[in-house]
mmCIF file of all heavy atoms in Angstrom:
data_model
loop_
_atom_site.group_PDB
_atom_site.id
_atom_site.type_symbol
_atom_site.label_atom_id
_atom_site.label_comp_id
_atom_site.label_asym_id
_atom_site.label_seq_id
_atom_site.Cartn_x
_atom_site.Cartn_y
_atom_site.Cartn_z
ATOM 1 N N ALA A 29 152.961 170.294 131.650
ATOM 2 C CA ALA A 29 153.690 170.373 133.030
ATOM 3 C C ALA A 29 154.615 169.113 133.094
ATOM 4 O O ALA A 29 154.554 168.062 132.384
ATOM 5 C CB ALA A 29 152.579 170.179 134.058
ATOM 6 N N PHE A 30 155.653 169.130 133.879
ATOM 7 C CA PHE A 30 156.644 168.013 134.004
ATOM 8 C C PHE A 30 155.857 166.854 134.451
ATOM 9 O O PHE A 30 155.305 166.919 135.668
ATOM 10 C CB PHE A 30 157.684 168.570 134.970
ATOM 11 C CG PHE A 30 158.821 167.435 135.005
ATOM 12 C CD1 PHE A 30 159.977 167.791 134.305
ATOM 13 C CD2 PHE A 30 158.728 166.434 135.894
ATOM 14 C CE1 PHE A 30 161.047 166.956 134.497
ATOM 15 C CE2 PHE A 30 159.833 165.528 135.940
ATOM 16 C CZ PHE A 30 160.995 165.690 135.232
ATOM 17 N N ALA A 31 155.952 165.770 133.748
ATOM 18 C CA ALA A 31 155.149 164.490 134.185
ATOM 19 C C ALA A 31 156.262 163.398 134.531
ATOM 20 O O ALA A 31 157.238 163.410 133.866
ATOM 21 C CB ALA A 31 154.291 164.103 132.999
ATOM 22 N N THR A 32 155.897 162.620 135.470
ATOM 23 C CA THR A 32 156.734 161.698 135.957
ATOM 24 C C THR A 32 156.341 160.249 135.257
ATOM 25 O O THR A 32 155.180 159.985 135.358
ATOM 26 C CB THR A 32 156.773 161.433 137.507
ATOM 27 O OG1 THR A 32 155.547 161.339 137.951
ATOM 28 C CG2 THR A 32 157.320 162.691 138.034
ATOM 29 N N LEU A 41 163.217 159.751 140.343
ATOM 30 C CA LEU A 41 162.522 161.005 140.426
ATOM 31 C C LEU A 41 163.366 162.122 140.885
ATOM 32 O O LEU A 41 163.504 163.135 140.317
ATOM 33 C CB LEU A 41 161.292 160.901 141.287
ATOM 34 C CG LEU A 41 160.471 162.136 141.479
ATOM 35 C CD1 LEU A 41 159.860 162.612 140.153
ATOM 36 C CD2 LEU A 41 159.312 161.742 142.474
ATOM 37 N N LEU A 45 164.877 165.457 138.770
ATOM 38 C CA LEU A 45 164.402 166.872 139.100
ATOM 39 C C LEU A 45 165.427 167.626 139.873
ATOM 40 O O LEU A 45 165.318 168.878 139.779
ATOM 41 C CB LEU A 45 163.163 166.702 140.217
ATOM 42 C CG LEU A 45 161.936 166.153 139.739
ATOM 43 C CD1 LEU A 45 160.898 165.900 140.739
ATOM 44 C CD2 LEU A 45 161.446 167.017 138.605
ATOM 45 N N TRP A 104 159.196 176.165 142.219
ATOM 46 C CA TRP A 104 158.584 174.828 141.630
ATOM 47 C C TRP A 104 157.431 174.467 142.467
ATOM 48 O O TRP A 104 157.450 174.662 143.798
ATOM 49 C CB TRP A 104 159.604 173.797 141.500
ATOM 50 C CG TRP A 104 160.626 173.899 140.430
ATOM 51 C CD1 TRP A 104 161.527 174.818 140.285
ATOM 52 C CD2 TRP A 104 160.671 173.051 139.153
ATOM 53 N NE1 TRP A 104 162.192 174.551 139.058
ATOM 54 C CE2 TRP A 104 161.743 173.514 138.462
ATOM 55 C CE3 TRP A 104 159.935 171.892 138.943
ATOM 56 C CZ2 TRP A 104 161.988 172.900 137.093
ATOM 57 C CZ3 TRP A 104 160.309 171.285 137.623
ATOM 58 C CH2 TRP A 104 161.229 171.741 136.871
ATOM 59 N N CYS A 105 156.471 173.857 141.850
ATOM 60 C CA CYS A 105 155.285 173.324 142.537
ATOM 61 C C CYS A 105 154.993 171.883 142.134
ATOM 62 O O CYS A 105 155.444 171.581 141.029
ATOM 63 C CB CYS A 105 153.965 174.212 142.319
ATOM 64 S SG CYS A 105 154.176 175.907 142.746
ATOM 65 N N GLY A 106 154.305 171.182 143.000
ATOM 66 C CA GLY A 106 154.146 169.796 142.673
ATOM 67 C C GLY A 106 152.670 169.378 143.226
ATOM 68 O O GLY A 106 152.142 170.047 144.126
ATOM 69 N N ALA A 107 152.076 168.340 142.461
ATOM 70 C CA ALA A 107 150.734 168.016 143.010
ATOM 71 C C ALA A 107 150.725 166.377 143.011
ATOM 72 O O ALA A 107 151.069 165.760 141.985
ATOM 73 C CB ALA A 107 149.566 168.486 142.035
ATOM 74 N N VAL A 108 150.334 165.785 144.137
ATOM 75 C CA VAL A 108 150.367 164.384 144.236
ATOM 76 C C VAL A 108 148.910 163.869 144.552
ATOM 77 O O VAL A 108 148.357 164.389 145.532
ATOM 78 C CB VAL A 108 151.317 163.943 145.452
ATOM 79 C CG1 VAL A 108 151.328 162.430 145.537
ATOM 80 C CG2 VAL A 108 152.738 164.489 145.209
ATOM 81 N N ARG A 127 157.358 174.686 135.627
ATOM 82 C CA ARG A 127 157.808 174.469 136.944
ATOM 83 C C ARG A 127 156.769 173.777 137.834
ATOM 84 O O ARG A 127 156.645 173.955 138.967
ATOM 85 C CB ARG A 127 158.329 175.569 137.646
ATOM 86 C CG ARG A 127 159.589 176.241 136.912
ATOM 87 C CD ARG A 127 160.184 177.418 137.694
ATOM 88 N NE ARG A 127 161.386 177.892 137.176
ATOM 89 C CZ ARG A 127 162.081 178.969 137.482
ATOM 90 N NH1 ARG A 127 161.645 179.617 138.593
ATOM 91 N NH2 ARG A 127 163.168 179.378 136.909
ATOM 92 N N LEU A 128 155.992 172.872 137.171
ATOM 93 C CA LEU A 128 154.960 172.210 137.805
ATOM 94 C C LEU A 128 155.054 170.643 137.547
ATOM 95 O O LEU A 128 155.207 170.251 136.435
ATOM 96 C CB LEU A 128 153.533 172.635 137.280
ATOM 97 C CG LEU A 128 152.302 171.786 137.770
ATOM 98 C CD1 LEU A 128 152.160 171.918 139.318
ATOM 99 C CD2 LEU A 128 151.067 172.152 137.102
ATOM 100 N N VAL A 129 155.235 169.883 138.699
ATOM 101 C CA VAL A 129 155.346 168.352 138.559
ATOM 102 C C VAL A 129 154.131 167.730 138.980
ATOM 103 O O VAL A 129 153.517 168.126 140.101
ATOM 104 C CB VAL A 129 156.576 168.126 139.388
ATOM 105 C CG1 VAL A 129 156.633 166.464 139.619
ATOM 106 C CG2 VAL A 129 157.768 168.738 139.096
ATOM 107 N N LEU A 130 153.593 166.853 138.216
ATOM 108 C CA LEU A 130 152.307 166.109 138.529
ATOM 109 C C LEU A 130 152.671 164.711 138.731
ATOM 110 O O LEU A 130 153.286 163.948 137.980
ATOM 111 C CB LEU A 130 151.361 166.323 137.242
ATOM 112 C CG LEU A 130 150.991 167.754 136.965
ATOM 113 C CD1 LEU A 130 150.009 167.627 135.762
ATOM 114 C CD2 LEU A 130 150.317 168.543 138.205
ATOM 115 N N VAL A 131 152.118 164.113 139.800
ATOM 116 C CA VAL A 131 152.072 162.642 140.131
ATOM 117 C C VAL A 131 150.693 162.354 140.417
ATOM 118 O O VAL A 131 150.218 162.280 141.580
ATOM 119 C CB VAL A 131 152.993 162.246 141.393
ATOM 120 C CG1 VAL A 131 153.102 160.864 141.372
ATOM 121 C CG2 VAL A 131 154.498 162.858 141.156
ATOM 122 N N LEU A 145 159.337 164.022 146.726
ATOM 123 C CA LEU A 145 159.212 165.366 146.065
ATOM 124 C C LEU A 145 159.593 166.551 147.061
ATOM 125 O O LEU A 145 160.134 167.520 146.582
ATOM 126 C CB LEU A 145 157.835 165.613 145.693
ATOM 127 C CG LEU A 145 157.365 164.746 144.308
ATOM 128 C CD1 LEU A 145 155.994 165.016 144.018
ATOM 129 C CD2 LEU A 145 158.345 165.245 143.157
ATOM 130 N N ILE A 149 161.086 169.891 145.787
ATOM 131 C CA ILE A 149 160.090 170.880 145.281
ATOM 132 C C ILE A 149 159.448 171.364 146.504
ATOM 133 O O ILE A 149 159.082 170.879 147.587
ATOM 134 C CB ILE A 149 158.880 169.988 144.693
ATOM 135 C CG1 ILE A 149 159.455 169.161 143.555
ATOM 136 C CG2 ILE A 149 157.752 170.908 144.262
ATOM 137 C CD1 ILE A 149 159.827 169.988 142.326
#
Side-chain angles (χ1 to χ4, degrees):
F30 187 98
T32 58
L41 174 63
L45 290 176
W104 280 68
C105 301
V108 180
R127 293 183 178 179
L128 176 64
V129 177
L130 303 177
V131 186
L145 284 175
I149 302 293

